[in-house]
Amino acid sequence: MRSTRGSTLNRLLPVIVLFVVFAVGLAFPLSNFFVVRKTVVDVSNNRDFAPVAKILQSSCVDCHSVTPGLIAHPYYASFPIARDTIARDMLEGQKSFKLTQDQVSGKEPISNIDLAKISTVVEEGSMPPIRYKALHWDASLNQQQRAAILKYIVSRRN
Ligand code: HEC
């Protein structure tokens, strides 16, 4: 009796382990759909900027802003490997350029220098970094979002 039960467990063990690994793995990206982030309302009165305000909040502010409410910390932010990666990304990201809350809301314009940098990374498709997109499934820029950012940048040149 005992040996039968034992072998059933032995056969099921790999399946159970796979399931647990799968569930734990999925918990990381799925949790990011539930993190709370302050929503900044667009006050620019500029139709070209309106979509950009949303994209910056869904895809960029975590690493390129220092305003506490704008940054959403995932629950795994204190886990050993994640902690260092996240801290380094935020530090390096903020060194490259910073978005204030007033810039995200459109109250203050983003500088031309920063717009030029943004234009480059959007055309390259290099932002957000892949490691971030792997865990933030709604952060990748789709074709429309990229077009919206570039359209706004072109409109600022006129
Ligand atoms: C996971 C954190 C993270 C997110 C999210 C993120 N970035 Fe970055 N960003 C970085 C890091 C780190 C760097 C500096 C190193 C590098 O260039 O890869 C950087 C650099 C940049 C630069 C400077 C590039 C240069 O060559 O000067 C720009 C512009 C930029 N990011 C724009 C964006 C935009 C726009 C978004 C949203 C669509 C975004 N980033 C989302 C981490 C991030």
Side-chain angles (χ1 to χ4, degrees), residues 59-60 63-64 89 92-93 96-97 117-118 121 127-129 131-132 141:
S59 301
C60 317
C63 302
H64 291 290
D89 272 347
E92 293 295 313
S96 299
F97 90 108
K117 289 190 207 167
I118 293 173
V121 299
M127 286 288 145
R131 56 188 175 279
Y132 181 84
L141 301 187

Side-chain angles (χ1 to χ4, degrees), residues 31-96:
S31 74
N32 281 319
F33 286 108
F34 302 99
V35 289
V36 186
R37 188 200 302 282
K38 175 162 68 182
T39 306
V40 177
V41 179
D42 164 42
V43 296
S44 67
N45 250 333
N46 176 343
R47 263 197 298 161
D48 285 335
F49 184 75
V52 177
K54 287 209 181 103
I55 300 166
L56 294 176
Q57 292 178 67
S58 60
S59 301
C60 317
V61 288
D62 278 349
C63 302
H64 291 290
S65 82
V66 288
T67 314
L70 286 184
I71 302 168
H73 291 284
Y75 81 89
Y76 52 83
S78 56
F79 289 12
I81 298 170
R83 187 179 49 211
D84 298 343
T85 309
I86 292 172
R88 199 186 50 231
D89 272 347
M90 291 175 72
L91 199 73
E92 293 295 313
Q94 290 161 8
K95 255 195 253 166
S96 299

Side-chain angles (χ1 to χ4, degrees), residues 1 3-4 23 44 52 60 65 70 86 95 99 110 115-116 120 129 139 154:
M1 195 60 199
S3 67
T4 319
S44 67
V52 177
C60 317
S65 82
L70 286 184
I86 292 172
K95 255 195 253 166
L99 287 163
I110 298 171
L115 285 181
T120 307
V154 169

